[in-house]
Amino acid sequence: MQQNKINILSTRPLNKSLVHEAKAVGISIDELSFIDTEPIQDIATQQEIEQAYLQSSTVVFTSMNAVDAVLAWQDGQQPDWVIYCMGNTTKLLLKENFGEHSVAGTASSAAELAELIAEESDIDEVIFFCGEQRRDELPAILRSKGIEVHEIIVYETIHTPHKVSKDYHAILFYSPSAVSSFFSNNKVPAQTILFAIGNTTAKTIQQYCNNTIIIGKEPGKEELVRQAMDYFT
């Protein structure tokens, strides 16, 4: 490694302008995906999504992948939904497609989002669009508060592990699945700093190594990259 250049691995693709911005301050970012997601496109799932579009519902999204999978069947419809979601990018995508006032609430973790929904006294049922590896916090908390959760699994996560031969000053992780995929094929030097987008991702990293972990202050991929840039500059 050159002493004057910081090498970072992002386990998801990034906006090119962000990579150039990092380069300008002496930080080289490699991008390599360790997971892929695919929308589930069988007839049963399609019918469940189409049926949901026709209902007045409280709807929950915890990932952009779920939003993309549901948008595939939108066909110009503007459903009567009150939407709750996790993360800024997800919120922007929802507002862009369902209208500026479509999102009633956001949070930076699934547990916080569940508490926010539970605080609304008139919600007794929600539709939760999710992936097949979704975590238990949100449905468990809502059910414990007497709120019925109708889960519709709209995408699946596929591990795409790679062998990494280069040593990095830092590696950025954005999901527990990407952590599992990465460590299925790699070990990290003790001095590498690992950045995690949230607590769940950080806990998954702890199962594989004892390296220093820095958790994102704000939800969002770009925010985590900027935090890593600030750390090294």
Side-chain angles (χ1 to χ4, degrees):
M1 277 188 193
Q2 290 172 280
Q3 282 311 105
N4 61 346
K5 192 171 78 170
I6 298 295
N7 292 304
I8 290 179
L9 175 64
S10 170
T11 57
R12 256 168 78 176
L14 299 171
N15 192 308
K16 291 292 162 246
S17 62
L18 196 56
V19 177
H20 289 310
E21 201 180 309
K23 197 174 180 181
V25 293
I27 296 173
S28 169
I29 302 180
D30 291 343
E31 303 157 80
L32 193 56
S33 284
F34 284 82
I35 55 166
D36 202 2
T37 56
E38 280 186 4
I40 294 169
Q41 293 181 315
D42 59 32
I43 297 295
T45 304
Q46 179 188 343
Q47 286 175 341
E48 278 198 281
I49 295 170
E50 287 176 343
Q51 189 59 40
Y53 269 113
L54 303 174
Q55 297 170 10
S56 294
S57 305
T58 299
V59 170
V60 184
F61 292 96
T62 54
S63 88
M64 261 174 65
N65 299 314
V67 178
D68 285 333
V70 170
L71 285 174
W73 306 105
Q74 185 183 15
D75 200 21
Q77 298 175 85
Q78 288 299 328
D80 182 18
W81 286 350
V82 175
I83 303 174
Y84 288 85
C85 73
M86 222 170 89
N88 198 44
T89 319
T90 305
K91 178 176 76 175
L92 293 174
L93 186 62
L94 286 162
K95 284 185 167 186
E96 195 182 304
N97 289 279
F98 295 116
E100 191 56 39
H101 304 292
S102 57
V103 179
T106 60
S108 57
S109 74
E112 279 173 35
L113 192 62
E115 294 294 350
L116 184 67
I117 294 165
E119 281 167 19
E120 296 295 327
S121 56
D122 58 343
I123 296 176
D124 52 17
E125 187 179 351
V126 301
I127 293 174
F128 179 26
F129 291 112
C130 56
E132 95 291 9
Q133 293 187 17
R134 69 113 181 95
R135 302 198 54 82
D136 293 332
E137 291 98 332
L138 185 128
I141 291 169
L142 291 178
R143 286 176 180 134
S144 76
K145 310 265 186 189
I147 295 170
E148 196 177 319
V149 181
H150 175 48
E151 292 179 39
I152 303 180
I153 295 171
V154 293
Y155 73 93
E156 56 188 348
T157 303
I158 299 141
H159 284 200
T160 55
H162 308 272
K163 185 77 182 148
V164 174
S165 51
K166 191 166 157 185
D167 283 351
Y168 289 95
H169 292 90
I171 302 174
L172 313 184
F173 291 102
Y174 310 96
S175 71
S177 338
V179 173
S180 304
S181 176
F182 175 87
F183 282 102
S184 70
N185 241 2
N186 300 283
K187 288 187 165 70
V188 287
Q191 70 274 18
T192 302
I193 310 283
L194 305 176
F195 285 80
I197 201 157
N199 292 317
T200 313
T201 300
K203 281 179 188 153
T204 310
I205 294 170
Q206 285 168 345
Q207 294 169 19
Y208 295 99
C209 65
N210 297 314
N211 290 48
T212 300
I213 299 169
I214 295 174
I215 298 171
K217 295 192 195 88
E218 300 281 332
K221 195 165 66 166
E222 186 172 315
E223 287 78 2
L224 191 68
V225 177
R226 291 193 182 284
Q227 195 172 331
M229 284 163 64
D230 289 345
Y231 179 89
F232 288 107
T233 52

